[in-house]
């Protein structure tokens, strides 16, 4: 005897449809019908997916939140993560840029890349990256913490007059750059030495020991003056441009929240402006850090370095490596700001805080 699995309103209430012992089956189908088919016009059993509730919960997307009550600690963590991620992403460009500045492996990006690949392979492109991450993570944490702290104290509240005659973000950016540079400069010098003279040292510790023994502790701070002179306008311009571009974006698009892609683009634009304006000082600093290695000239100070480079190579010498430098600094700035803002949304004090 065949069995009909279709259910209709009349059949489910008919006492003589299946007869006798079919009451249990009829009751089962009737329960399914009432549970899953709200409309009397339907004549089929509708089976809902078991994971419907889970899908509904996931409909809004995954929102990871880690609660950290201390706002200073949140900014320090966010800055450290942003620095580590951004620098690792552009490590090969940083290596090429450094070689171009000091002229040890060629005079073009393609030539330097080929020489590094022939001598060291892919590992050569990431040489010194561990030192770079160790340096940049705390440096970026200190930098962003200093910027947020100073900017918060100097910024006037809505409706109040300005506390300082110049933009607060300009002063905060300069303070941020100086603070991070003073704390992490020796690691920057060691990173440069490992990149250029990797065969001379057997790691970070060995580089520190050899530099201190052979050249003295003061050598760890060689080039600090031009570095500070360079970082003040760079950091001030970078943060001022970033803050200004964010405010402009909010006014133009009338949106308080800025997405990750928009933050990436805004940060990249800020990095392009600041790096182009201060690049000659960066070249002088790198030349001074290399010192007398490989028989190179030792410069007395930043002015001596700038004058000597200008005399030997002309104006193009002060901008040698600007292309790969922008290729490295521009995306690094964008990635750094994007990661920082994203981390601030993850590391919150309470729900709904960004």
């Amino acid at each position: 005897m065949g069995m009909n699995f279709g259910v209709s309103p009349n059949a489910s209430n008919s006492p003589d449809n299946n007869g006798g012992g079919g009451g249990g089956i009829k009751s089962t189908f009737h329960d399914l019908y009432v549970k899953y088919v709200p409309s009397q016009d339907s004549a089929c059993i509708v089976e809902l997916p078991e994971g419907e509730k889970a899908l509904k919960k996931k409909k809004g997307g995954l929102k990871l939140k880690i609660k950290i009550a201390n706002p200073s600690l949140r900014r320090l963590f966010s800055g450290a993560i942003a620095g580590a991620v951004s620098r690792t992403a552009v490590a090969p460009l940083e290596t090429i840029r450094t070689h171009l500045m000091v002229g040890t492996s060629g005079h073009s990006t393609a030539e330097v890349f080929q020489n590094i690949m022939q001598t060291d392979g892919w590992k050569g492109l990431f040489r010194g990256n561990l030192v770079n991450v160790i340096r940049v993570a705390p440096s970026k944490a200190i930098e962003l913490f200093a910027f947020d702290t100073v900017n918060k104290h100097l910024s006037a509240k809505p409706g109040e007059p300005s506390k300082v005659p110049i933009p607060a973000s300009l002063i905060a950016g300069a303070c941020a750059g100086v603070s991070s540079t003073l704390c992490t400069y020796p690691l920057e010098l060691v990173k440069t030495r490992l990149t250029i003279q990797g065969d001379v040292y057997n790691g970070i510790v060995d580089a520190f020991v050899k530099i201190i023994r052979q050249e003295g502790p003061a050598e760890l701070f060689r080039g600090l003056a031009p570095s500070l002179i360079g970082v003040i306008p760079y950091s001030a311009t970078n943060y001022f441009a970033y803050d200004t571009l964010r405010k402009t974006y909010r006014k133009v698009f009338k949106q308080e929240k800025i997405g990750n892609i928009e933050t990436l683009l805004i940060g990249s634009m800020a990095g392009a402006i600041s790096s182009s304006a201060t690049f000659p000082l960066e070249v002088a600093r790198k030349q001074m850090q290399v010192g007398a290695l490989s028989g190179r000239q030792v410069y007395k100070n930043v002015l001596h370095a700038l004058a000597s480079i200008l005399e030997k190579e002309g104006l193009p010498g002060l901008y040698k490596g600007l292309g790969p430098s922008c290729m490295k600094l521009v995306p690094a700035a964008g990635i750094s700001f994007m990661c920082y803002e994203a981390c601030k949304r993850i590391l919150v004090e309470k729900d709904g805080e960004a």
Side-chain angles (χ1 to χ4, degrees):
M1 179 177 66
M3 184 176 292
N4 183 12
F5 286 90
V7 180
S8 65
N10 294 330
S12 61
N13 293 322
S14 176
D16 55 352
N17 184 39
N18 290 323
I25 297 177
K26 180 171 62 175
S27 177
T28 301
F29 280 108
H30 178 265
D31 291 342
L32 289 172
Y33 171 76
V34 171
K35 185 176 181 180
Y36 293 110
V37 185
S39 174
Q40 294 294 319
D41 296 332
S42 177
C44 63
I45 298 174
V46 180
E47 188 173 353
L48 294 179
E50 294 181 359
E52 183 183 27
K53 292 183 179 180
L55 290 174
K56 286 183 178 180
K57 290 181 180 179
K58 293 181 180 180
K59 189 176 181 180
L62 179 62
K63 293 183 180 180
L64 177 63
K65 298 291 183 182
I66 301 176
K67 294 184 180 181
I68 299 179
N70 192 313
S72 298
L73 197 59
R74 292 200 303 271
R75 285 175 172 79
L76 286 172
F77 271 117
S78 299
I81 294 171
V85 172
S86 63
R87 293 301 175 180
T88 301
V90 297
L93 292 174
E94 164 71 3
T95 300
I96 293 174
R97 181 180 74 114
T98 302
H99 278 283
L100 279 172
M101 282 183 176
V102 298
T104 55
S105 299
H107 301 286
S108 67
T109 302
E111 186 178 355
V112 171
F113 176 77
Q114 291 178 356
N115 287 336
I116 294 175
M117 291 298 295
Q118 289 176 358
T119 55
D120 300 319
W122 289 104
K123 291 183 179 180
L125 293 174
F126 290 90
R127 174 181 289 176
N129 185 57
L130 177 59
V131 183
N132 206 17
V133 170
I134 294 174
R135 177 189 67 84
V136 168
S139 173
K140 207 66 179 177
I142 295 170
E143 183 178 312
L144 289 166
F145 170 75
F147 171 76
D148 281 338
T149 303
V150 176
N151 192 45
K152 181 180 179 181
H153 283 82
L154 294 181
S155 297
K157 296 180 180 179
E160 294 183 356
S162 300
K163 296 181 180 179
V164 289
I166 59 177
S169 59
L170 199 65
I171 301 176
C175 293
V178 171
S179 300
S180 63
T181 301
L182 289 175
C183 293
T184 60
Y185 187 80
L187 280 172
E188 166 69 9
L189 183 136
V190 170
K191 182 260 173 188
T192 301
R193 291 289 186 92
L194 286 173
T195 301
I196 303 302
Q197 296 287 328
D199 54 339
V200 176
Y201 308 107
N202 295 321
I204 302 173
V205 177
D206 183 61
F208 268 110
V209 172
K210 285 185 177 179
I211 292 173
I212 292 173
R213 286 180 178 177
Q214 299 174 6
E215 305 175 57
E219 187 66 20
L220 292 174
F221 292 92
R222 176 182 289 274
L224 177 60
S227 181
L228 287 174
I229 294 173
V231 79
I232 290 174
Y234 171 81
S235 186
T237 306
N238 187 35
Y239 282 99
F240 173 70
Y242 176 72
D243 187 60
T244 303
L245 290 171
R246 281 175 64 86
K247 291 178 180 178
T248 303
Y249 178 89
R250 289 192 176 104
K251 289 181 180 179
V252 172
F253 294 96
K254 302 185 185 303
Q255 294 180 0
E256 186 62 27
K257 290 187 177 181
I258 302 177
N260 290 333
I261 300 301
E262 290 82 357
T263 302
L264 176 66
L265 296 175
I266 290 173
S268 298
M269 290 177 63
I273 294 170
S274 56
S275 61
S276 299
T278 60
F279 191 75
L281 289 171
E282 176 73 3
V283 173
R285 182 171 68 90
K286 291 293 184 183
Q287 294 278 13
M288 292 184 70
Q289 283 181 339
V290 172
L293 293 176
S294 303
R296 300 183 65 85
Q297 180 181 354
V298 178
Y299 301 106
K300 300 177 181 178
N301 50 53
V302 61
L303 293 178
H304 181 218
L306 290 172
S308 299
I309 296 171
L310 190 62
E311 181 181 356
K312 292 180 180 179
E313 306 178 45
L315 190 61
L318 295 176
Y319 289 92
K320 182 186 294 181
L322 177 60
S325 178
C326 286
M327 289 174 61
K328 174 254 178 182
L329 289 175
V330 170
I335 294 170
S336 178
F337 280 120
M338 182 182 68
C339 290
Y340 178 65
E341 298 296 341
C343 286
K344 284 202 300 182
R345 288 193 292 269
I346 294 173
L347 304 177
V348 298
E349 181 179 0
K350 56 185 178 180
D351 293 338
E353 181 185 349

